[in-house]
Amino acid sequence: MIRMTTVGSLMGMGQNDLAAFDKAILITGGYGGIGAEAARLLHATHPDALIIVAGRNANKAQAFAASCPPNVAGAKLDLASLPDVGRFALEYNVLVSTGVVPPLSALICNAGTQAGPGEMRVSEDGFEETFAVNHLAHMHLTLALLPSFANRARLIVVSSGTHDPNTMEGRFNKPILRNASVLANPLDPQTRNTNAIVRYSTSKLCNLLFAYEFARRAHDLAPNKVIDVLTYDPGGVPGSDLMRNINPLTKRILTAPWLMRLLRVTTRTPKDAGRYLAALLTQDVDHEPAYWQGPNRSRSSKTSLDPEHARALWDGSETLIQKALRLKDQDGSKNFLDP
């Protein structure tokens, strides 16, 4: 049986069990909400795979893994800290290169966060936390883990219908795409004066721009590998962990079934949303960009498909990630906000 709180702890335990797995599937935020539901399905449909659920709370990851069959493991991964993301990826790359764990057949970038009304949360690196966790951390994780991707692999990025102002979900809180340095800066007046839900919808637009740009660059980034890129809108999921930071009255309004029907917002239970997410591991991909809304192939917003926006976001995000890591190397007490 495999249980872990850090990737490195696998080095000294369960190696006989690990040898039985042909591949690994990593899910961020996999111990709650739709990630947990997907993980529960994947351990049954992919018994030859090591299913790793990774998140900030090591105890929750470990407890979830303990409630599952032995091919599910929990790992600590703090997406609010880019150095921790790098630590996680480095440890995993070492374990793959030494044959301790199998390469990744799929990385599912599922974890997400949203601040409460009027709240401005800041990541360990000094970035606006919604942008940092939902976009920057997943970009850094994906690129840092490329050495551990199998020769044929999948990247699945969970977005949201809120990214599209032409949908009911996005109409009331339209994303506002600015350059990465502004989106990341909690002190910038443009960011500070943007409400929490718009910051969330903007981060979900950034998820798509990143995923599509990664697909365009995948051959150059990993020339000896074939990586299919899929994106996913789970719909409104009233029982998801994203609701934990919203005040009770707002939560009751947003989760009222009659209101969702009135607004024509598609809602799903965590179980159904997780089931459709898990199904993407075997979904045919005949062309990209591949965007699913629940079980249906669809088309994301016009802005999300703009390669110029995607390149600008990619370049700006790379600069921010490199700066955060450089500051941590130079002076562990400094972050993006320090002069």
Side-chain angles (χ1 to χ4, degrees):
M1 183 173 290
I2 305 159
R3 308 291 178 230
M4 61 177 174
T5 54
T6 65
V7 180
S9 65
L10 279 177
M11 290 291 288
M13 62 182 292
Q15 293 198 20
N16 290 334
D17 290 335
L18 288 170
F21 298 117
D22 298 326
K23 57 188 178 183
I25 299 169
L26 172 62
I27 311 174
T28 66
Y31 54 69
I34 68 174
E37 297 297 340
R40 290 188 180 99
L41 283 170
L42 290 172
H43 77 68
T45 57
H46 294 73
D48 59 337
L50 173 64
I51 313 297
I52 304 170
V53 295
R56 179 187 299 188
N57 190 314
N59 291 332
K60 287 184 178 181
Q62 191 173 32
F64 176 79
S67 71
C68 296
N71 64 325
V72 180
K76 184 180 185 301
L77 170 60
D78 186 357
L79 293 171
S81 166
L82 290 173
D84 193 70
V85 173
R87 181 274 313 165
F88 179 96
L90 178 62
E91 288 186 7
Y92 196 87
N93 290 341
V94 170
L95 294 177
V96 170
S97 67
T98 54
V100 175
V101 297
L104 290 170
S105 65
L107 169 61
I108 304 176
C109 297
N110 163 73
T113 190
Q114 178 180 324
E119 183 181 21
M120 174 63 73
R121 297 206 308 263
V122 179
S123 75
E124 181 182 302
D125 307 302
F127 300 130
E128 191 280 313
E129 191 176 74
T130 304
F131 179 74
V133 169
N134 297 359
H135 166 62
L136 288 178
H138 281 119
M139 178 176 177
H140 183 35
L141 180 68
T142 302
L143 298 178
L145 281 174
L146 277 179
S148 292
F149 275 58
N151 290 335
R152 185 67 190 252
R154 290 203 162 185
L155 170 66
I156 299 173
V157 179
V158 177
S159 181
S160 165
T162 62
H163 88 278
D164 187 351
N166 291 321
T167 65
M168 189 59 69
E169 293 95 326
R171 187 170 301 168
F172 299 111
N173 295 285
K174 298 178 181 180
I176 302 173
L177 187 63
R178 302 183 175 102
N179 69 63
S181 62
V182 172
L183 294 174
N185 190 347
L187 300 181
D188 188 287
Q190 295 178 86
T191 300
R192 193 172 63 246
N193 295 326
T194 300
N195 75 56
I197 301 178
V198 171
R199 297 201 303 271
Y200 174 78
S201 64
T202 303
S203 75
K204 295 288 99 180
L205 172 59
C206 291
N207 286 155
L208 293 171
L209 290 166
F210 159 67
Y212 298 158
E213 185 64 12
F214 179 90
R216 285 186 281 266
R217 299 184 186 216
H219 179 71
D220 293 330
L221 292 168
N224 298 318
K225 301 179 181 184
V226 176
I227 303 173
D228 294 323
V229 181
L230 300 88
T231 58
Y232 176 62
D233 165 25
V237 187
S240 74
D241 287 348
L242 278 174
M243 292 289 178
R244 65 182 178 270
N245 295 315
I246 296 176
N247 70 60
L249 178 59
T250 304
K251 185 185 297 186
R252 287 185 64 182
I253 294 171
L254 292 177
T255 57
W258 65 269
L259 181 59
M260 296 298 100
R261 288 193 296 270
L262 181 65
L263 295 176
R264 292 177 299 181
V265 172
T266 301
T267 60
R268 296 186 177 89
T269 64
K271 190 168 186 176
D272 282 344
R275 174 160 57 93
Y276 299 138
L277 175 58
L280 293 183
L281 266 76
T282 54
Q283 186 69 255
D284 289 336
V285 182
D286 52 356
H287 64 277
E288 293 175 338
Y291 178 69
W292 267 264
Q293 290 181 304
N296 303 312
R297 183 76 178 258
S298 188
R299 185 176 177 85
S300 58
S301 71
K302 181 178 179 180
T303 302
S304 73
L305 297 169
D306 188 319
E308 291 188 12
H309 285 316
R311 282 193 294 271
L313 178 68
W314 182 288
D315 293 343
S317 300
E318 269 195 327
T319 298
L320 291 169
I321 292 167
Q322 291 165 3
K323 180 175 182 180
L325 299 178
R326 187 168 62 250
L327 285 172
K328 185 62 71 171
D329 286 341
Q330 292 173 352
D331 183 346
S333 65
K334 278 199 166 188
N335 66 31
F336 172 72
L337 296 177
D338 293 320

